[in-house]
mmCIF file of all heavy atoms in Angstrom:
data_model
loop_
_atom_site.group_PDB
_atom_site.id
_atom_site.type_symbol
_atom_site.label_atom_id
_atom_site.label_comp_id
_atom_site.label_asym_id
_atom_site.label_seq_id
_atom_site.Cartn_x
_atom_site.Cartn_y
_atom_site.Cartn_z
ATOM 1 N N PRO A 450 -0.536 76.994 5.119
ATOM 2 C CA PRO A 450 0.471 78.010 4.759
ATOM 3 C C PRO A 450 0.082 78.835 3.531
ATOM 4 O O PRO A 450 0.535 79.978 3.386
ATOM 5 C CB PRO A 450 1.726 77.175 4.494
ATOM 6 C CG PRO A 450 1.537 75.937 5.308
ATOM 7 C CD PRO A 450 0.080 75.657 5.225
ATOM 8 N N TYR A 451 -0.737 78.266 2.632
ATOM 9 C CA TYR A 451 -1.146 78.991 1.418
ATOM 10 C C TYR A 451 -2.393 79.848 1.650
ATOM 11 O O TYR A 451 -2.462 80.988 1.203
ATOM 12 C CB TYR A 451 -1.452 78.003 0.289
ATOM 13 C CG TYR A 451 -0.272 77.209 -0.209
ATOM 14 C CD1 TYR A 451 -0.418 75.864 -0.541
ATOM 15 C CD2 TYR A 451 0.984 77.783 -0.372
ATOM 16 C CE1 TYR A 451 0.647 75.123 -1.017
ATOM 17 C CE2 TYR A 451 2.058 77.046 -0.841
ATOM 18 C CZ TYR A 451 1.889 75.709 -1.164
ATOM 19 O OH TYR A 451 2.949 74.972 -1.640
ATOM 20 N N TYR A 452 -3.402 79.263 2.325
ATOM 21 C CA TYR A 452 -4.727 79.886 2.326
ATOM 22 C C TYR A 452 -5.261 80.218 3.707
ATOM 23 O O TYR A 452 -6.353 80.786 3.810
ATOM 24 C CB TYR A 452 -5.757 78.965 1.639
ATOM 25 C CG TYR A 452 -5.215 78.173 0.490
ATOM 26 C CD1 TYR A 452 -4.999 76.797 0.607
ATOM 27 C CD2 TYR A 452 -4.900 78.789 -0.716
ATOM 28 C CE1 TYR A 452 -4.496 76.058 -0.452
ATOM 29 C CE2 TYR A 452 -4.384 78.051 -1.774
ATOM 30 C CZ TYR A 452 -4.187 76.690 -1.629
ATOM 31 O OH TYR A 452 -3.674 75.961 -2.670
ATOM 32 N N GLY A 453 -4.538 79.841 4.750
ATOM 33 C CA GLY A 453 -5.119 79.971 6.082
ATOM 34 C C GLY A 453 -6.319 79.047 6.195
ATOM 35 O O GLY A 453 -6.247 77.881 5.817
ATOM 36 N N PHE A 454 -7.442 79.560 6.694
ATOM 37 C CA PHE A 454 -8.662 78.744 6.786
ATOM 38 C C PHE A 454 -9.670 79.123 5.691
ATOM 39 O O PHE A 454 -10.866 78.847 5.826
ATOM 40 C CB PHE A 454 -9.305 78.900 8.166
ATOM 41 C CG PHE A 454 -8.490 78.317 9.271
ATOM 42 C CD1 PHE A 454 -7.852 79.143 10.190
ATOM 43 C CD2 PHE A 454 -8.333 76.943 9.389
ATOM 44 C CE1 PHE A 454 -7.083 78.607 11.218
ATOM 45 C CE2 PHE A 454 -7.560 76.395 10.404
ATOM 46 C CZ PHE A 454 -6.928 77.226 11.323
ATOM 47 N N ASN A 455 -9.170 79.720 4.622
ATOM 48 C CA ASN A 455 -10.068 80.179 3.558
ATOM 49 C C ASN A 455 -9.684 79.558 2.206
ATOM 50 O O ASN A 455 -9.562 80.251 1.208
ATOM 51 C CB ASN A 455 -10.034 81.708 3.469
ATOM 52 C CG ASN A 455 -11.129 82.260 2.563
ATOM 53 O OD1 ASN A 455 -12.208 81.674 2.464
ATOM 54 N ND2 ASN A 455 -10.853 83.353 1.883
ATOM 55 N N LYS A 456 -9.503 78.250 2.191
ATOM 56 C CA LYS A 456 -9.178 77.605 0.927
ATOM 57 C C LYS A 456 -10.344 77.704 -0.050
ATOM 58 O O LYS A 456 -10.140 77.868 -1.258
ATOM 59 C CB LYS A 456 -8.812 76.134 1.137
ATOM 60 C CG LYS A 456 -8.389 75.441 -0.154
ATOM 61 C CD LYS A 456 -7.950 74.016 0.056
ATOM 62 C CE LYS A 456 -7.528 73.390 -1.280
ATOM 63 N NZ LYS A 456 -7.053 72.000 -1.127
ATOM 64 N N LEU A 457 -11.563 77.607 0.451
ATOM 65 C CA LEU A 457 -12.725 77.704 -0.429
ATOM 66 C C LEU A 457 -12.740 79.047 -1.153
ATOM 67 O O LEU A 457 -13.062 79.124 -2.340
ATOM 68 C CB LEU A 457 -14.009 77.515 0.380
ATOM 69 C CG LEU A 457 -15.319 77.619 -0.405
ATOM 70 C CD1 LEU A 457 -15.367 76.570 -1.513
ATOM 71 C CD2 LEU A 457 -16.518 77.479 0.518
ATOM 72 N N GLY A 458 -12.390 80.107 -0.458
ATOM 73 C CA GLY A 458 -12.330 81.416 -1.095
ATOM 74 C C GLY A 458 -11.295 81.462 -2.203
ATOM 75 O O GLY A 458 -11.523 82.054 -3.265
ATOM 76 N N ALA A 459 -10.149 80.791 -1.977
ATOM 77 C CA ALA A 459 -9.108 80.736 -3.011
ATOM 78 C C ALA A 459 -9.585 79.940 -4.220
ATOM 79 O O ALA A 459 -9.305 80.300 -5.370
ATOM 80 C CB ALA A 459 -7.841 80.122 -2.432
ATOM 81 N N VAL A 460 -10.334 78.871 -3.956
ATOM 82 C CA VAL A 460 -10.864 78.054 -5.058
ATOM 83 C C VAL A 460 -11.820 78.875 -5.916
ATOM 84 O O VAL A 460 -11.755 78.857 -7.151
ATOM 85 C CB VAL A 460 -11.565 76.795 -4.496
ATOM 86 C CG1 VAL A 460 -12.381 76.105 -5.582
ATOM 87 C CG2 VAL A 460 -10.542 75.837 -3.905
ATOM 88 N N ILE A 461 -12.722 79.611 -5.269
ATOM 89 C CA ILE A 461 -13.681 80.438 -6.014
ATOM 90 C C ILE A 461 -12.954 81.526 -6.801
ATOM 91 O O ILE A 461 -13.269 81.804 -7.960
ATOM 92 C CB ILE A 461 -14.710 81.052 -5.047
ATOM 93 C CG1 ILE A 461 -15.552 79.945 -4.407
ATOM 94 C CG2 ILE A 461 -15.597 82.048 -5.772
ATOM 95 C CD1 ILE A 461 -16.480 80.436 -3.319
ATOM 96 N N GLU A 462 -11.948 82.118 -6.195
ATOM 97 C CA GLU A 462 -11.182 83.175 -6.853
ATOM 98 C C GLU A 462 -10.477 82.650 -8.102
ATOM 99 O O GLU A 462 -10.533 83.276 -9.170
ATOM 100 C CB GLU A 462 -10.152 83.731 -5.867
ATOM 101 C CG GLU A 462 -9.177 84.732 -6.471
ATOM 102 C CD GLU A 462 -8.037 85.050 -5.529
ATOM 103 O OE1 GLU A 462 -8.168 84.832 -4.301
ATOM 104 O OE2 GLU A 462 -6.983 85.522 -6.011
ATOM 105 N N VAL A 463 -9.825 81.502 -7.972
ATOM 106 C CA VAL A 463 -9.095 80.938 -9.109
ATOM 107 C C VAL A 463 -10.056 80.481 -10.198
ATOM 108 O O VAL A 463 -9.799 80.666 -11.392
ATOM 109 C CB VAL A 463 -8.196 79.775 -8.638
ATOM 110 C CG1 VAL A 463 -7.555 79.071 -9.833
ATOM 111 C CG2 VAL A 463 -7.122 80.288 -7.696
ATOM 112 N N THR A 464 -11.174 79.869 -9.804
ATOM 113 C CA THR A 464 -12.161 79.435 -10.794
ATOM 114 C C THR A 464 -12.686 80.620 -11.594
ATOM 115 O O THR A 464 -12.828 80.548 -12.821
ATOM 116 C CB THR A 464 -13.324 78.701 -10.102
ATOM 117 O OG1 THR A 464 -12.820 77.616 -9.335
ATOM 118 C CG2 THR A 464 -14.314 78.179 -11.125
ATOM 119 N N GLU A 465 -12.963 81.693 -10.911
ATOM 120 C CA GLU A 465 -13.436 82.904 -11.585
ATOM 121 C C GLU A 465 -12.392 83.428 -12.567
ATOM 122 O O GLU A 465 -12.720 83.906 -13.664
ATOM 123 C CB GLU A 465 -13.763 83.974 -10.537
ATOM 124 C CG GLU A 465 -14.269 85.288 -11.099
ATOM 125 C CD GLU A 465 -15.641 85.166 -11.727
ATOM 126 O OE1 GLU A 465 -16.414 84.271 -11.321
ATOM 127 O OE2 GLU A 465 -15.947 85.968 -12.636
ATOM 128 N N LEU A 466 -11.128 83.313 -12.212
ATOM 129 C CA LEU A 466 -10.048 83.825 -13.049
ATOM 130 C C LEU A 466 -9.786 82.926 -14.256
ATOM 131 O O LEU A 466 -9.565 83.412 -15.371
ATOM 132 C CB LEU A 466 -8.776 83.959 -12.206
ATOM 133 C CG LEU A 466 -7.511 84.409 -12.948
ATOM 134 C CD1 LEU A 466 -7.664 85.847 -13.436
ATOM 135 C CD2 LEU A 466 -6.298 84.271 -12.028
ATOM 136 N N ARG A 467 -9.822 81.614 -14.051
ATOM 137 C CA ARG A 467 -9.374 80.670 -15.082
ATOM 138 C C ARG A 467 -10.485 80.182 -16.010
ATOM 139 O O ARG A 467 -10.213 79.753 -17.129
ATOM 140 C CB ARG A 467 -8.741 79.448 -14.410
ATOM 141 C CG ARG A 467 -7.542 79.749 -13.525
ATOM 142 C CD ARG A 467 -6.292 79.942 -14.331
ATOM 143 N NE ARG A 467 -5.097 80.029 -13.474
ATOM 144 C CZ ARG A 467 -3.862 80.130 -13.931
ATOM 145 N NH1 ARG A 467 -3.661 80.151 -15.235
ATOM 146 N NH2 ARG A 467 -2.850 80.212 -13.097
ATOM 147 N N ALA A 468 -11.719 80.191 -15.563
ATOM 148 C CA ALA A 468 -12.808 79.580 -16.333
ATOM 149 C C ALA A 468 -13.187 80.427 -17.537
ATOM 150 O O ALA A 468 -13.037 81.650 -17.538
ATOM 151 C CB ALA A 468 -14.026 79.374 -15.436
ATOM 152 N N ASP A 469 -13.668 79.734 -18.575
ATOM 153 C CA ASP A 469 -14.288 80.450 -19.687
ATOM 154 C C ASP A 469 -15.567 81.132 -19.185
ATOM 155 O O ASP A 469 -16.125 80.756 -18.144
ATOM 156 C CB ASP A 469 -14.627 79.477 -20.823
ATOM 157 C CG ASP A 469 -13.379 79.023 -21.571
ATOM 158 O OD1 ASP A 469 -12.266 79.469 -21.198
ATOM 159 O OD2 ASP A 469 -13.514 78.220 -22.510
ATOM 160 N N TYR A 470 -16.044 82.098 -19.956
ATOM 161 C CA TYR A 470 -17.168 82.916 -19.510
ATOM 162 C C TYR A 470 -18.378 82.063 -19.124
ATOM 163 O O TYR A 470 -19.054 82.331 -18.124
ATOM 164 C CB TYR A 470 -17.563 83.910 -20.599
ATOM 165 C CG TYR A 470 -18.742 84.775 -20.223
ATOM 166 C CD1 TYR A 470 -18.601 85.832 -19.318
ATOM 167 C CD2 TYR A 470 -20.012 84.523 -20.755
ATOM 168 C CE1 TYR A 470 -19.698 86.614 -18.953
ATOM 169 C CE2 TYR A 470 -21.100 85.304 -20.399
ATOM 170 C CZ TYR A 470 -20.935 86.346 -19.503
ATOM 171 O OH TYR A 470 -22.018 87.113 -19.141
ATOM 172 N N GLY A 471 -18.662 81.025 -19.901
ATOM 173 C CA GLY A 471 -19.839 80.204 -19.644
ATOM 174 C C GLY A 471 -19.755 79.377 -18.379
ATOM 175 O O GLY A 471 -20.746 78.787 -17.961
ATOM 176 N N TYR A 472 -18.570 79.313 -17.760
ATOM 177 C CA TYR A 472 -18.391 78.490 -16.562
ATOM 178 C C TYR A 472 -17.963 79.302 -15.342
ATOM 179 O O TYR A 472 -17.714 78.734 -14.288
ATOM 180 C CB TYR A 472 -17.347 77.404 -16.839
ATOM 181 C CG TYR A 472 -17.732 76.490 -17.964
ATOM 182 C CD1 TYR A 472 -17.266 76.710 -19.262
ATOM 183 C CD2 TYR A 472 -18.586 75.411 -17.752
ATOM 184 C CE1 TYR A 472 -17.628 75.881 -20.305
ATOM 185 C CE2 TYR A 472 -18.957 74.570 -18.788
ATOM 186 C CZ TYR A 472 -18.471 74.817 -20.067
ATOM 187 O OH TYR A 472 -18.832 73.982 -21.101
ATOM 188 N N LYS A 473 -17.865 80.620 -15.476
ATOM 189 C CA LYS A 473 -17.485 81.458 -14.342
ATOM 190 C C LYS A 473 -18.617 81.498 -13.317
ATOM 191 O O LYS A 473 -19.794 81.589 -13.686
ATOM 192 C CB LYS A 473 -17.169 82.879 -14.806
ATOM 193 C CG LYS A 473 -15.882 83.022 -15.609
ATOM 194 C CD LYS A 473 -15.643 84.465 -15.983
ATOM 195 C CE LYS A 473 -14.383 84.622 -16.826
ATOM 196 N NZ LYS A 473 -13.162 84.298 -16.063
ATOM 197 N N PRO A 474 -18.290 81.446 -12.012
ATOM 198 C CA PRO A 474 -19.342 81.536 -10.990
ATOM 199 C C PRO A 474 -20.143 82.830 -11.072
ATOM 200 O O PRO A 474 -21.320 82.855 -10.703
ATOM 201 C CB PRO A 474 -18.552 81.459 -9.676
ATOM 202 C CG PRO A 474 -17.266 80.775 -10.026
ATOM 203 C CD PRO A 474 -16.957 81.194 -11.427
ATOM 204 N N SER A 475 -19.508 83.904 -11.550
ATOM 205 C CA SER A 475 -20.189 85.202 -11.594
ATOM 206 C C SER A 475 -21.095 85.363 -12.801
ATOM 207 O O SER A 475 -21.887 86.305 -12.858
ATOM 208 C CB SER A 475 -19.149 86.328 -11.604
ATOM 209 O OG SER A 475 -18.327 86.242 -12.768
ATOM 210 N N THR A 476 -20.993 84.479 -13.781
ATOM 211 C CA THR A 476 -21.825 84.576 -14.978
ATOM 212 C C THR A 476 -23.281 84.287 -14.631
ATOM 213 O O THR A 476 -23.567 83.304 -13.937
ATOM 214 C CB THR A 476 -21.339 83.585 -16.055
ATOM 215 O OG1 THR A 476 -19.977 83.862 -16.366
ATOM 216 C CG2 THR A 476 -22.181 83.694 -17.312
ATOM 217 N N PRO A 477 -24.222 85.114 -15.066
ATOM 218 C CA PRO A 477 -25.643 84.836 -14.799
ATOM 219 C C PRO A 477 -26.023 83.439 -15.306
ATOM 220 O O PRO A 477 -25.570 83.030 -16.388
ATOM 221 C CB PRO A 477 -26.372 85.928 -15.585
ATOM 222 C CG PRO A 477 -25.374 87.032 -15.710
ATOM 223 C CD PRO A 477 -24.033 86.361 -15.822
ATOM 224 N N PRO A 478 -26.811 82.690 -14.559
ATOM 225 C CA PRO A 478 -27.146 81.310 -14.959
ATOM 226 C C PRO A 478 -27.668 81.193 -16.385
ATOM 227 O O PRO A 478 -27.329 80.241 -17.096
ATOM 228 C CB PRO A 478 -28.204 80.898 -13.938
ATOM 229 C CG PRO A 478 -27.902 81.721 -12.738
ATOM 230 C CD PRO A 478 -27.406 83.034 -13.257
ATOM 231 N N ILE A 479 -28.465 82.161 -16.816
ATOM 232 C CA ILE A 479 -29.062 82.071 -18.144
ATOM 233 C C ILE A 479 -28.002 82.191 -19.232
ATOM 234 O O ILE A 479 -28.208 81.762 -20.374
ATOM 235 C CB ILE A 479 -30.147 83.165 -18.314
ATOM 236 C CG1 ILE A 479 -31.080 82.819 -19.480
ATOM 237 C CG2 ILE A 479 -29.519 84.529 -18.470
ATOM 238 C CD1 ILE A 479 -31.896 81.576 -19.252
ATOM 239 N N GLU A 480 -26.833 82.763 -18.897
ATOM 240 C CA GLU A 480 -25.754 82.918 -19.868
ATOM 241 C C GLU A 480 -24.666 81.862 -19.706
ATOM 242 O O GLU A 480 -23.717 81.836 -20.485
ATOM 243 C CB GLU A 480 -25.129 84.320 -19.730
ATOM 244 C CG GLU A 480 -26.094 85.462 -20.026
ATOM 245 C CD GLU A 480 -25.441 86.821 -19.864
ATOM 246 O OE1 GLU A 480 -24.188 86.883 -19.930
ATOM 247 O OE2 GLU A 480 -26.166 87.816 -19.662
#
Side-chain angles (χ1 to χ4, degrees):
Y451 295 141
Y452 325 107
F454 293 109
N455 191 31
K456 183 177 181 178
L457 179 59
V460 167
I461 295 173
E462 173 190 339
V463 173
T464 304
E465 180 68 27
L466 177 67
R467 301 280 189 176
D469 287 0
Y470 179 75
Y472 300 96
K473 290 182 182 294
S475 62
T476 302
I479 198 65
E480 297 179 21

